[in-house]
Every structure is written in structure tokens, then in C-alpha cells.
Amino acid sequence: MRRTTAADGPVRRTVLAGALGLTAVLLTGCGIRLDRDPALPQLSPDDLVRDAVARALAAIDPEAGAGASEPVRAAVQAFAEAVGPPWNPPEDLAEPVAPPHTDPPPTDAATGLADVARLVAEATGTADGSGTSTSPVLAVLLDVTAGALLHLDDFDGEAAGQIRADLADSLAALLAEADDEATSTSATPSDEASPTGEASPLEDLATACYAAEYAYERAAVHLTGEDPARSGASGRIARLQGIVAALGTLAPGVALPSDRPAWDLPEDPHDAATARSALQSAEDHLAAALLDARGAVPPAAFAVWLDDSARARSRAQGSQDLRFEVRPDSQESDNQEDAA
């Protein structure tokens, strides 16, 4: 199945700049360059992962071996543009600095995409990658990982399954640790309203999960029994409920909203086509809410939940290489957050 980053895709939050060969990311009003200035050789842990992923993508020959096809070629190109070029130190330093990683040997798409996904998955399970929030750089890398896993499903399902299992193990360990901490501190939800009167990003994420559950309940009845979106509906609903439960564990001090019998849907499902559209919109809303909540969502949770949403959208015939739309934009300052 051809996967595209459609112009009318779900999330228009990630903006990458191509000016002067540099790549930038703009997330909900805050701009952060993915490739660091060569004058700043001290890289953050996330920048080091980004460099390794960039080199792994550059080593892929999408015309060779398993998975060689035009859709895969387009996906590899989209991933490389999203991640940005490898970081190389300037050549005129008084004391030369070696690149943080060596370039891997050329490889085919099946092997290369698996390498990319493993690099990011391993980062979510390390001390540097399992904090309480997902950085903008890592959010982009996890978006690429979700797209890579969708393609990997087609030609190496076993590798994709193992990577997802590793991500799930990282999330399970994180939830167990959070549960232990909540038990020891006896944290209780706060009844205080937001100073601005607006819902917090975690509240919005829980609401997106509730609305998606309702969309699946409404849409599934308009699909045939063998339709993947219908056969996977009950499992998807259970995983959406799991996200809300996990939010209560990860942020016990946040008062999450309550579910309600009916939620407003952007499109009323009344046949197969509108049912799939409603499910795609529900997953789009969830991805946008997850991105907004990245400052309070650990990388392991972000990775698993974004991948789950990407697969669910694919089952509704809405597969995409990237969930966060890429488009040319102006150059941003390196690792500087601009005022919204």
C-alpha cells in the first residue's frame, strides 16, 4: 500500500527548514533546529541519536534488496528530510573533532529502516531517553520510527514486532516505576483549575482518547466484518482506554476529564467511506494532542502511542509515512526556543 505524507495530513505542527541545507523543526509555535551549528560540537543525547539516525538513513539504498519500491524510496527521502543531515564538525578547527558516529556501510531498505527504528527504540530505554518528557528532537525521531515500522511490517514483520516489543517493555517498566512512586507518595489528583481556565495538554490527550473510542463505536458498524478497521476496533478501544489509565499513573496529580456517552465528531459516519474518514480524523486528533502533550509524556509512552495510532490509521486506509507534516520554512536558531 502506498503511504504518503499528504498535503491534507493530520498534524501540521512539525515544520522543517531546508534553507542553506539546514533542517529546522517548529512545534506548536516553538522552533528548534534539528542539526546543530558546527561551531557547537558538544551535542545533547538527543542530538547524538539524531546524528546516528541521519547516517543510517543516508546509508539506505531504497532500490536494493527487500522492500525496493517507489513508495519506500519516497519514504526514505521523507524521513531523511525530517531528520536532517548528519552532524559533521568544521574542518578548520585548531584541534580536529571526529564526527560522533561513523557512516554505516550501504544497506537495503529492510535492514536500514530496522536499524533506524532500533536506534530510536534503544534511546527510549536509556537513562537519557526515559525522562518525564519527550523533547522536540525526539518527537521527530519517533515520528520517523512509526513510519519506518509501518513499512517494515511489509517486508520484515518479525523485526518490526521485536522493536515494538522492546518499546512496550520500556513503557511497562516506566509505568511500574511511576506506580511505585505514586504509591509511596500517595499522590492525589488536584482539584485546582488551570490559571487560564484551559485544559492541560494531558487533559486534552485524555479527551482525544475518549472521542476516538466513541468514533470507533460509531464507525465500526458501517464496516464489513472482514474490514481491518472493524476487526481491530475492539483492540483499538482497549488500547485507547489503556492510554487514559496510563496518564493517571504517569501524572497522578492531574485531574483527568471524565468520559461521556457522546462526543462531537468532525464527520458523522453513515457508510463505509465516512466511517473510515471519521476514524482517520480521530487518530489525527489523537496525534495532535499527543504532540501538544510531549512536554509531559515520556519518550517510551510517546513512541508506543504514536505507533499504535499510526497503525490504526493505516487499518482505516489512511497510512502515512509521517504524522507531522513537513514543509519548507525559514531557518531557526539552533536549540533556541522562540516565543510563540
Side-chain angles (χ1 to χ4, degrees):
M1 179 182 296
R2 182 180 178 85
R3 301 181 174 89
T4 63
T5 309
D8 59 349
V11 185
R12 296 180 176 84
R13 306 297 179 89
T14 303
V15 181
L16 305 178
L20 303 179
L22 301 178
T23 299
V25 60
L26 181 64
L27 294 162
T28 61
C30 296
I32 296 182
R33 271 207 7 232
L34 287 192
D35 61 314
R36 294 178 61 86
D37 191 320
L40 301 173
Q42 187 64 39
L43 304 183
S44 72
D46 288 345
D47 286 331
L48 291 172
V49 178
R50 191 209 65 79
D51 176 75
V53 170
R55 294 177 190 278
L57 287 168
I60 295 176
D61 179 1
E63 305 300 333
S69 66
E70 172 58 26
V72 172
R73 185 201 64 76
V76 171
Q77 180 178 351
F79 297 155
E81 291 174 353
V83 171
W87 182 88
N88 288 306
E91 298 178 354
D92 57 352
L93 292 177
E95 296 183 6
V97 176
H101 303 94
T102 58
D103 292 328
T107 186
D108 61 21
T111 302
L113 291 179
D115 290 342
V116 166
R118 288 192 190 96
L119 283 168
V120 182
E122 289 171 2
T124 69
T126 64
D128 292 328
S130 59
T132 57
S133 64
T134 298
S135 73
V137 172
L138 197 52
V140 173
L141 297 178
L142 290 171
D143 186 24
V144 168
T145 298
L149 288 173
L150 284 181
H151 281 282
L152 204 57
D153 283 333
D154 293 337
F155 38 79
D156 195 343
E158 183 177 353
Q162 184 57 58
I163 293 167
R164 289 191 174 104
D166 292 340
L167 290 171
D169 288 344
S170 295
L171 176 56
L174 180 70
L175 291 174
E177 181 180 356
D179 187 52
D180 290 342
E181 291 179 357
T183 300
S184 63
T185 60
S186 300
T188 56
S190 171
D191 293 328
E192 296 183 5
S194 167
T196 63
E198 297 179 355
S200 72
L202 289 181
E203 291 177 279
D204 286 340
L205 179 55
T207 297
C209 290
Y210 292 142
E213 287 182 49
Y214 180 64
Y216 275 92
E217 292 169 352
R218 287 283 309 280
V221 297
H222 297 287
L223 301 172
T224 61
E226 61 272 13
D227 191 298
R230 175 165 180 166
S231 60
S234 60
R236 182 59 181 145
I237 289 173
R239 293 180 79 83
L240 289 166
Q241 293 170 342
I243 294 176
V244 177
L247 292 176
T249 299
L250 294 172
V254 175
L256 298 177
S258 299
D259 197 359
R260 61 175 184 249
W263 296 86
D264 292 332
L265 299 179
E267 183 168 11
D268 183 37
H270 56 271
D271 57 18
T274 55
R276 293 191 187 94
S277 180
L279 295 182
Q280 292 175 20
S281 295
E283 297 296 347
D284 293 347
H285 186 195
L286 177 62
L290 181 59
L291 183 61
D292 283 343
R294 69 188 184 282
V297 174
F302 195 103
V304 171
W305 298 342
L306 185 63
D307 176 60
D308 281 347
S309 180
R311 286 196 286 169
R313 199 179 200 281
S314 179
R315 288 193 294 270
Q317 297 183 5
S319 189
Q320 290 182 307
D321 292 335
L322 294 171
R323 304 299 303 284
F324 310 146
E325 182 181 306
V326 177
R327 71 177 188 267
D329 204 279
S330 60
Q331 181 177 330
E332 298 292 336
S333 299
D334 180 41
N335 276 356
Q336 296 291 320
E337 296 215 6
D338 301 330

